[in-house]
Amino acid sequence: MPEKRHFRAIKGTRDILPPDSSLWNWFEESARDVFEAYNFREIRLPIFEQTELFARSIGTHTDIVAKEMFTFEDRPGSLPDPRKSVLVDDYMALLEDLLKRGELPNSEANRSILSQLREKMVEKQLANRNIGRGSGMPIRLEEYNKLALECAYLASVIELGELLTLRPEATASVCRAYVEHSMHALPGDQKLYYIGPMFRRERPQKGRYRQFYQIGAEVLGQSDAPVIDAEVLEMLLVFFHRVGLTRTTLYVNSIGDKNCRPQYVELLRSELQRVKNSLKEDSQRRIETNPLRVLDSKIPEEQPIIEKLPRISDHLCADCRAHFAKLKDELKLRNIAYEENWRLVRGLDYYTRTTFEVIAEGLGSQNAVCGGGRYDGLVELLGGQPTKGIGFAIGSDRSILSIQETGAAPPVHPLNVYVAWMGAKAYPAAVGIARKLRSHGLTVELPPEEMKLKKSLGLADKLGARYALILGEDEAASHTFTLKRLADAAQKTLTENELLEYLESEQRGSRA
Ligand code: HAM
């Protein structure tokens, strides 16, 4: 037996245990209900994709791509060391098989390396045979070692598999899937939602994890009408209302499009150059790489400087200005309260025009519970037809934290009945009634071992059961059950039909 060893969840990941998991299920089910009422349909996406997909979509200078992605090489598990392989044919057959099966990229470079490797392996094999023969052995050994090293070098430059990344977000994947499955040819706009884990190598803290969960929704199609933006925001806020997340603020902005943003970015860059020496290192770097991100700075000393910078709202082209004005009208029509925030530029490069975020109270610095915006042009960047897009992603971890802290969480998953059975003769009846009650939608706990009544009732109480169903040999003989309400110890004896009728009417009452 190997020695005992304890394991812990990796830093920034965590287990979601019961009863919290019930809250999570309720949260996700509520999203499904609301989103499906708006005619969104679920898309299930892979957890990892080519690194290039995220680099292209999110932008190479963003924090996510530059610092936070979990990336790995898709290398075959068994690329053997050629120094240890003496039989050329076996070794080369193995590599060629990996190439054929697509486990190694079948590139020109790899094919050339493989043919050089074959030659060197043959030389090495011959040298190996000669080592022990006659005089001059040290020289032959040296020759053999040199060839072995050359083989190892050639094997080390074989191109391994592609770079893959655990998804840091899912908008890029949705667009990739849209192109891959020619979804532009389907009727109407594609309205898709997804639920699942995302991965970013951020510094963990309250509300910030390395594996976190998002519920996202995206609309892809031919129209960029602001009505779509407004309906997406309406759906988002209806969902937040449904789950009791109401102490929130919606911030909206327009960051222009390819006609007006480049001029604004240049203006911003030149203004930032003028004040460069008063900015901290990160912002100084961003002047070159991504000046818009300077607006996102939270550093107190930088705030008065940023407040004086030119604002995008004064530099939008006529089309973008009209788009933003119409969006605001549409929000008013829907009674959606919002605040304009000219500094809301978002940390991903794919956005155009509308951007938005929802902030919740009481979460400290990680208080954004949702972020989103328009990304017309992203599908094209990924090889698709010109397509408009808008969407958002809700951070489930933070939203649920906020719901728990404000006490809005509903009671979930009650234990309706605990079957306190005693005696071998009562056991078959206990198994039968447990299955029947469960098939009528009740949650039932059937203890696997017989217990004394007092102990059984004590456990039922600790588990939070509403009723204990007492089933001894007497009850089994008379085909009756004793139902005890644990809150007040009220007790009645019932036949099976009476029992079902009673519990079902109770259940209906508690749902009403
Ligand atoms: P995002 O703003 O990067 O946008 O993430 C959306 C939400 O995910 C954040 O508001 C936050 O609640 C949550 N979140 C992000 N990182 C973490 C983390 N490390 N720990 C816990 N929660 C986190 C996007 O991901 C875009 N794909 C949204 C979008 C969809 N835009 C258009 N469509």
Side-chain angles (χ1 to χ4, degrees):
M1 270 285 275
E3 226 176 281
K4 210 157 88 162
R5 184 182 157 197
H6 286 285
F7 293 91
R8 299 181 70 87
I10 304 291
K11 184 173 166 191
T13 73
R14 65 217 173 102
D15 305 305
I16 295 161
L17 306 175
D20 285 359
S21 50
S22 300
L23 189 60
W24 278 73
N25 286 337
W26 161 82
F27 186 76
E28 292 175 352
E29 281 311 311
S30 307
R32 288 179 197 281
D33 270 4
V34 173
F35 294 1
E36 298 214 357
Y38 281 80
N39 199 25
F40 279 68
R41 295 283 176 266
E42 184 175 12
I43 179 166
R44 294 196 181 213
L45 300 157
I47 299 282
F48 54 91
E49 301 260 11
Q50 283 174 294
T51 304
E52 172 80 14
L53 170 70
F54 300 117
R56 258 189 164 242
S57 311
I58 302 169
T60 43
H61 291 297
T62 57
D63 284 354
I64 297 179
V65 173
K67 304 188 205 154
E68 297 170 359
M69 297 207 299
F70 286 101
T71 295
F72 57 97
E73 205 167 42
D74 180 24
R75 79 195 316 268
S78 57
L79 195 60
D81 183 344
R83 280 172 300 184
K84 294 193 183 126
S85 304
V86 192
L87 296 173
V88 180
D89 286 342
D90 287 359
Y91 183 74
M92 294 312 295
L94 197 141
L95 286 189
E96 270 149 24
D97 186 47
L98 288 173
L99 211 62
K100 205 156 65 203
R101 285 191 284 120
E103 297 277 320
L104 284 176
N106 192 355
S107 60
E108 206 173 301
N110 267 358
R111 285 194 300 274
S112 151
I113 296 169
L114 254 59
S115 89
Q116 292 173 53
L117 187 57
R118 175 181 281 281
E119 281 172 27
K120 281 280 171 245
M121 291 281 288
V122 171
E123 285 181 49
K124 180 172 83 87
Q125 190 168 306
L126 282 173
N128 186 39
R129 280 195 205 128
N130 287 334
I131 285 177
R133 298 207 184 121
S135 61
M137 186 175 144
I139 296 172
R140 278 195 289 272
L141 191 60
E142 198 179 308
E143 171 72 12
Y144 173 83
N145 285 340
K146 188 170 152 268
L147 286 166
L149 265 180
E150 283 174 7
C151 288
Y153 168 73
L154 283 170
S156 76
V157 294
I158 294 175
E159 280 177 2
L160 298 172
E162 324 178 80
L163 283 185
L164 304 179
T165 293
L166 295 185
R167 61 182 190 190
E169 61 105 51
T171 309
S173 302
V174 171
C175 293
R176 194 261 313 134
Y178 182 84
V179 177
E180 187 171 338
H181 304 290
S182 303
M183 292 170 87
H184 65 275
L186 299 172
D189 287 341
Q190 290 308 300
K191 295 161 81 176
L192 303 164
Y193 74 89
Y194 49 86
I195 299 180
M198 309 290 156
F199 306 85
R200 296 184 192 172
R201 200 173 188 291
E202 294 193 80
R203 194 167 45 77
Q205 64 180 92
K206 181 182 168 193
R208 188 159 75 187
Y209 310 98
R210 290 183 170 183
Q211 175 173 338
F212 60 98
Y213 297 81
Q214 284 188 346
I215 300 179
E218 316 285 353
V219 183
L220 291 153
Q222 287 313 303
S223 166
D224 61 359
V227 176
I228 302 177
D229 309 30
E231 198 181 65
V232 160
L233 283 166
E234 177 188 307
M235 177 172 90
L236 171 66
L237 296 175
V238 166
F239 167 68
F240 277 155
H241 190 79
R242 169 83 69 97
V243 294
L245 201 63
T246 46
R247 281 153 61 189
T248 55
T249 310
L250 166 67
Y251 291 103
V252 296
N253 189 23
S254 172
I255 57 165
D257 64 5
K258 58 180 187 301
N259 298 319
C260 53
R261 198 175 39 219
Q263 284 99 302
Y264 170 71
V265 170
E266 273 324 303
L267 176 68
L268 187 64
R269 186 175 272 135
S270 64
E271 288 299 310
L272 286 167
Q273 286 293 2
R274 288 199 314 113
V275 293
K276 184 172 179 178
N277 293 337
S278 329
L279 298 171
K280 300 277 179 230
E281 204 187 315
D282 264 358
S283 295
Q284 288 192 355
R285 189 171 32 81
R286 286 183 174 140
I287 297 177
E288 286 316 315
T289 58
N290 196 347
L292 281 178
R293 291 287 288 154
V294 177
L295 305 182
D296 230 15
S297 159
K298 307 275 184 303
I299 299 172
E301 297 91 298
E302 295 187 340
Q303 302 311 307
I305 306 167
I306 293 172
E307 280 304 311
K308 292 200 204 91
L309 291 169
R311 301 181 172 206
I312 180 108
S313 44
D314 300 326
H315 298 273
L316 294 176
C317 61
D319 284 352
C320 287
R321 206 170 319 128
H323 190 276
F324 195 32
K326 176 79 172 137
L327 167 63
K328 289 184 277 186
D329 287 346
E330 286 288 330
L331 292 178
K332 282 182 201 122
L333 174 77
R334 292 166 162 79
N335 281 327
I336 295 175
Y338 64 88
E339 282 183 32
E340 267 186 70
N341 179 357
W342 70 278
R343 287 175 56 178
L344 184 64
V345 291
R346 311 268 302 124
L348 305 93
D349 280 358
Y350 50 60
Y351 291 110
T352 55
R353 292 190 168 167
T354 313
T355 55
F356 56 88
E357 251 171 37
V358 178
I359 303 298
E361 271 181 30
L363 284 176
S365 65
Q366 302 306 312
N367 59 357
V369 286
C370 176
R374 196 159 259 299
Y375 48 87
D376 308 337
L378 177 56
V379 166
E380 232 174 317
L381 190 68
L382 302 177
Q385 317 251 344
T387 303
K388 315 290 185 191
I390 179 159
F392 61 76
I394 296 162
S396 302
D397 309 76
R398 293 178 194 176
S399 305
I400 289 174
L401 212 61
S402 174
I403 292 170
Q404 283 172 321
E405 287 187 2
T406 51
V412 276
H413 198 80
L415 173 56
N416 302 109
V417 177
Y418 179 96
V419 184
W421 63 275
M422 285 151 295
K425 292 206 186 107
Y427 178 67
V431 171
I433 194 67
R435 179 189 284 206
K436 190 152 244 170
L437 294 178
R438 286 165 175 160
S439 75
H440 280 73
L442 295 156
T443 301
V444 176
E445 175 68 13
L446 177 69
E449 280 172 20
E450 183 177 356
M451 273 185 268
K452 293 246 158 46
L453 184 60
K454 197 160 170 236
K455 190 166 171 210
S456 221
L457 292 180
L459 182 57
D461 203 35
K462 282 192 201 131
L463 292 176
R466 191 161 160 71
Y467 290 101
L469 189 66
I470 300 168
L471 188 51
E473 295 194 347
D474 289 350
E475 281 92 352
S478 62
H479 302 288
T480 58
F481 302 90
T482 302
L483 189 69
K484 182 178 180 113
R485 190 161 56 204
L486 291 167
D488 58 4
Q491 185 165 310
K492 53 176 86 179
T493 300
L494 302 165
T495 63
E496 183 176 307
N497 280 345
E498 288 166 347
L499 175 71
L500 281 171
E501 217 167 274
Y502 178 82
L503 288 174
E504 274 184 330
S505 74
E506 248 258 321
Q507 180 93 326
R508 277 195 297 276
S510 72
R511 267 196 229 115

Coordinates of all heavy atoms in Angstrom, one line a residue, residues 64 168-171 194 200 202 207-210 212 214 217-218 346 348 350-351 357 368-373 375 390-395 397-398, ligand 1:
I64 N -6.4 39.2 -19.5 CA -6.9 37.8 -19.6 C -5.9 37.0 -20.4 O -5.4 35.9 -20.0 CB -8.3 37.7 -20.2 CG1 -9.3 38.4 -19.3 CG2 -8.7 36.2 -20.4 CD1 -10.7 38.3 -19.8
P168 N -11.4 31.0 -20.7 CA -11.5 32.1 -19.7 C -12.9 32.8 -19.8 O -13.2 33.5 -18.9 CB -10.4 33.1 -20.1 CG -10.1 32.9 -21.5 CD -10.6 31.5 -21.9
E169 N -13.6 32.6 -20.9 CA -14.9 33.1 -21.1 C -15.5 32.3 -22.3 O -14.8 31.5 -22.9 CB -14.8 34.6 -21.4 CG -14.0 34.9 -22.7 CD -14.9 35.3 -23.9 OE1 -15.7 36.2 -23.7 OE2 -14.7 34.7 -24.9
A170 N -16.8 32.6 -22.7 CA -17.4 31.7 -23.7 C -17.9 32.4 -24.9 O -18.4 31.8 -25.8 CB -18.5 30.9 -23.0
T171 N -17.8 33.7 -25.0 CA -18.3 34.4 -26.1 C -17.5 34.0 -27.4 O -18.1 33.8 -28.5 CB -18.2 36.0 -26.0 OG1 -18.8 36.3 -24.7 CG2 -18.9 36.7 -27.1
Y194 N -25.6 29.8 -22.2 CA -24.7 28.8 -21.7 C -24.5 29.0 -20.2 O -24.6 30.1 -19.6 CB -23.3 28.8 -22.4 CG -22.7 30.2 -22.4 CD1 -21.9 30.7 -21.4 CD2 -22.9 31.0 -23.5 CE1 -21.4 31.9 -21.4 CE2 -22.4 32.3 -23.5 CZ -21.6 32.8 -22.5 OH -21.1 34.0 -22.5
R200 N -9.6 31.5 -15.0 CA -8.6 32.6 -15.2 C -7.6 32.5 -14.0 O -8.1 32.4 -12.9 CB -9.3 34.0 -15.2 CG -10.3 34.1 -16.3 CD -10.9 35.5 -16.3 NE -12.0 35.5 -17.3 CZ -12.9 36.5 -17.5 NH1 -12.7 37.6 -16.7 NH2 -13.9 36.5 -18.3
E202 N -6.2 34.3 -11.9 CA -6.2 35.6 -11.2 C -5.8 35.4 -9.7 O -5.8 34.2 -9.3 CB -7.6 36.3 -11.2 CG -8.0 36.7 -12.6 CD -9.3 37.5 -12.5 OE1 -9.1 38.7 -12.3 OE2 -10.4 37.0 -12.8
G207 N -14.9 36.5 -3.9 CA -15.6 36.8 -5.2 C -14.7 36.6 -6.4 O -15.2 37.0 -7.5
R208 N -13.5 36.2 -6.2 CA -12.6 36.1 -7.4 C -11.9 34.7 -7.3 O -11.2 34.5 -6.3 CB -11.6 37.2 -7.5 CG -10.8 37.1 -8.8 CD -10.2 38.4 -9.1 NE -9.0 38.7 -8.3 CZ -8.4 39.8 -8.2 NH1 -8.7 40.8 -9.0 NH2 -7.3 39.9 -7.5
Y209 N -12.1 33.9 -8.2 CA -11.6 32.5 -8.2 C -10.9 32.2 -9.5 O -11.1 32.9 -10.5 CB -12.8 31.5 -8.0 CG -13.7 31.9 -6.8 CD1 -14.8 32.6 -7.0 CD2 -13.2 31.7 -5.5 CE1 -15.6 33.1 -6.0 CE2 -14.0 32.1 -4.5 CZ -15.2 32.8 -4.7 OH -15.9 33.3 -3.6
R210 N -10.2 31.1 -9.5 CA -9.5 30.7 -10.7 C -10.4 29.8 -11.6 O -10.3 29.7 -12.8 CB -8.2 30.0 -10.4 CG -7.2 31.0 -9.9 CD -5.9 30.5 -9.6 NE -5.0 31.6 -9.3 CZ -3.7 31.5 -9.1 NH1 -3.1 30.3 -9.1 NH2 -2.9 32.5 -8.8
F212 N -14.3 29.7 -11.9 CA -15.6 30.4 -11.5 C -16.7 30.0 -12.5 O -16.4 29.4 -13.5 CB -15.4 31.9 -11.4 CG -14.9 32.6 -12.7 CD1 -15.9 33.2 -13.6 CD2 -13.6 32.5 -13.1 CE1 -15.5 33.8 -14.8 CE2 -13.2 33.1 -14.4 CZ -14.1 33.7 -15.2
Q214 N -20.1 31.0 -14.9 CA -20.9 32.1 -15.6 C -22.1 31.5 -16.2 O -22.2 30.4 -16.6 CB -20.1 32.7 -16.8 CG -18.9 33.6 -16.4 CD -18.3 34.3 -17.6 OE1 -18.5 33.9 -18.8 NE2 -17.5 35.3 -17.4
A217 N -25.4 34.8 -22.1 CA -26.4 34.8 -23.2 C -25.9 35.6 -24.4 O -25.2 36.7 -24.1 CB -27.8 35.4 -22.8
E218 N -26.1 35.2 -25.6 CA -25.6 35.9 -26.8 C -26.7 35.9 -27.8 O -27.4 35.0 -28.0 CB -24.4 35.2 -27.3 CG -23.3 34.7 -26.3 CD -22.4 35.8 -25.7 OE1 -22.5 37.0 -26.2 OE2 -21.7 35.5 -24.8
R346 N -14.5 48.0 -20.5 CA -14.4 46.6 -20.4 C -13.0 46.0 -20.7 O -12.2 46.7 -21.4 CB -15.4 45.9 -21.3 CG -16.8 46.5 -21.2 CD -17.7 45.7 -20.2 NE -17.8 44.4 -20.5 CZ -17.5 43.4 -19.7 NH1 -17.1 43.6 -18.5 NH2 -17.7 42.1 -20.0
L348 N -12.0 43.3 -22.4 CA -11.9 42.5 -23.6 C -12.0 43.3 -24.8 O -12.7 44.3 -24.9 CB -13.0 41.4 -23.6 CG -13.1 40.5 -22.3 CD1 -14.1 41.1 -21.3 CD2 -13.4 39.1 -22.6
Y350 N -13.0 42.8 -27.9 CA -14.0 42.6 -29.0 C -15.2 43.6 -29.0 O -16.0 43.5 -29.9 CB -14.5 41.2 -29.1 CG -15.0 40.5 -27.8 CD1 -16.1 41.0 -27.1 CD2 -14.4 39.3 -27.4 CE1 -16.5 40.3 -26.0 CE2 -14.8 38.6 -26.3 CZ -15.9 39.1 -25.6 OH -16.4 38.4 -24.5
Y351 N -15.3 44.4 -28.0 CA -16.5 45.2 -27.9 C -16.6 46.4 -28.9 O -15.5 47.0 -29.2 CB -16.7 45.8 -26.5 CG -17.0 44.7 -25.5 CD1 -16.1 44.3 -24.5 CD2 -18.2 44.0 -25.6 CE1 -16.4 43.3 -23.7 CE2 -18.5 43.0 -24.7 CZ -17.6 42.6 -23.7 OH -17.9 41.6 -22.9
E357 N -22.3 46.9 -17.4 CA -22.0 46.1 -16.3 C -23.0 46.3 -15.2 O -23.7 47.3 -15.1 CB -20.6 46.6 -15.7 CG -19.5 45.6 -16.0 CD -18.1 46.0 -15.7 OE1 -17.9 46.7 -14.7 OE2 -17.2 45.7 -16.4
A368 N -18.7 43.4 -9.5 CA -19.3 43.3 -10.8 C -20.0 41.9 -10.9 O -19.3 40.9 -10.9 CB -18.4 43.5 -12.0
V369 N -21.3 41.9 -11.0 CA -22.0 40.6 -11.1 C -22.3 40.2 -12.6 O -22.7 39.1 -12.8 CB -23.3 40.5 -10.2 CG1 -22.9 40.3 -8.8 CG2 -24.2 41.6 -10.4
C370 N -22.2 41.2 -13.4 CA -22.4 40.8 -14.9 C -21.7 41.9 -15.7 O -21.6 43.0 -15.4 CB -23.9 40.9 -15.1 SG -24.3 40.7 -16.9
G371 N -21.2 41.4 -16.9 CA -20.6 42.3 -17.8 C -21.0 41.9 -19.2 O -21.2 40.7 -19.5
G372 N -21.1 42.8 -20.1 CA -21.4 42.5 -21.5 C -21.4 43.6 -22.4 O -20.9 44.7 -22.1
G373 N -21.8 43.4 -23.6 CA -21.8 44.4 -24.6 C -21.9 43.9 -26.0 O -22.1 42.7 -26.2
Y375 N -20.6 43.1 -29.9 CA -19.3 42.7 -30.5 C -19.4 42.5 -32.0 O -19.0 41.4 -32.5 CB -18.7 41.5 -29.8 CG -19.6 40.4 -29.5 CD1 -19.9 39.4 -30.4 CD2 -20.4 40.3 -28.3 CE1 -20.8 38.4 -30.2 CE2 -21.3 39.3 -28.1 CZ -21.5 38.4 -29.0 OH -22.4 37.4 -28.8
I390 N -24.4 40.6 -29.6 CA -24.4 41.3 -28.3 C -24.7 40.2 -27.3 O -25.4 39.2 -27.5 CB -25.5 42.4 -28.2 CG1 -25.5 43.0 -26.8 CG2 -26.9 41.9 -28.6 CD1 -26.1 44.3 -26.7
G391 N -24.2 40.4 -26.1 CA -24.5 39.4 -25.0 C -23.9 39.9 -23.7 O -23.4 41.0 -23.5
F392 N -24.0 39.0 -22.7 CA -23.5 39.3 -21.4 C -23.1 38.0 -20.7 O -23.5 36.9 -21.2 CB -24.6 40.0 -20.5 CG -25.8 39.2 -20.3 CD1 -25.9 38.1 -19.4 CD2 -27.0 39.5 -21.0 CE1 -27.0 37.4 -19.2 CE2 -28.2 38.8 -20.8 CZ -28.2 37.7 -19.9
A393 N -22.4 38.1 -19.6 CA -22.1 36.9 -18.8 C -22.3 37.3 -17.3 O -21.7 38.3 -16.9 CB -20.7 36.3 -19.0
I394 N -23.1 36.6 -16.6 CA -23.3 36.8 -15.2 C -22.3 36.0 -14.4 O -22.1 34.8 -14.7 CB -24.8 36.3 -14.8 CG1 -25.8 37.1 -15.6 CG2 -25.0 36.3 -13.3 CD1 -27.2 36.5 -15.6
G395 N -21.7 36.5 -13.4 CA -20.8 35.7 -12.5 C -21.6 35.1 -11.5 O -22.2 35.8 -10.6
D397 N -20.8 32.9 -9.0 CA -20.2 32.9 -7.7 C -20.6 34.2 -6.9 O -21.1 34.1 -5.8 CB -18.7 32.8 -7.8 CG -18.2 31.7 -8.7 OD1 -18.3 31.9 -9.9 OD2 -17.8 30.7 -8.2
R398 N -20.3 35.3 -7.6 CA -20.6 36.6 -6.9 C -22.1 36.9 -6.7 O -22.5 37.4 -5.6 CB -20.0 37.8 -7.7 CG -18.6 37.7 -7.8 CD -18.1 38.8 -8.7 NE -16.7 38.6 -9.0 CZ -15.9 39.3 -9.8 NH1 -16.5 40.4 -10.4 NH2 -14.7 39.0 -10.0
Ligands
HAM1 P1 -16.3 39.5 -18.0 O1 -16.7 40.9 -17.5 O2 -14.9 39.2 -18.1 O3 -17.1 39.3 -19.3 O4 -17.0 38.5 -17.0 C1 -18.3 38.5 -16.7 C2 -18.6 38.3 -15.2 O5 -17.9 37.0 -14.8 C3 -17.9 39.3 -14.3 O6 -18.8 40.4 -14.2 C4 -17.9 38.6 -13.0 O7 -19.1 38.6 -12.3 C5 -17.5 37.1 -13.4 N1 -16.1 36.9 -13.3 C6 -15.1 37.2 -14.1 N2 -13.9 36.8 -13.6 C7 -14.2 36.2 -12.4 C8 -13.4 35.5 -11.4 N3 -12.1 35.3 -11.5 N4 -14.0 35.0 -10.3 C9 -15.3 35.1 -10.2 N5 -16.1 35.7 -11.1 C10 -15.6 36.2 -12.2 C11 -17.0 38.2 -20.1 O8 -16.6 37.1 -19.7 C12 -17.7 38.3 -21.4 N6 -17.6 37.0 -22.1 C13 -19.2 38.7 -21.3 C14 -19.9 38.9 -22.6 C15 -20.7 38.0 -23.1 N7 -19.8 39.9 -23.4 C16 -20.6 39.7 -24.4 N8 -21.1 38.5 -24.3

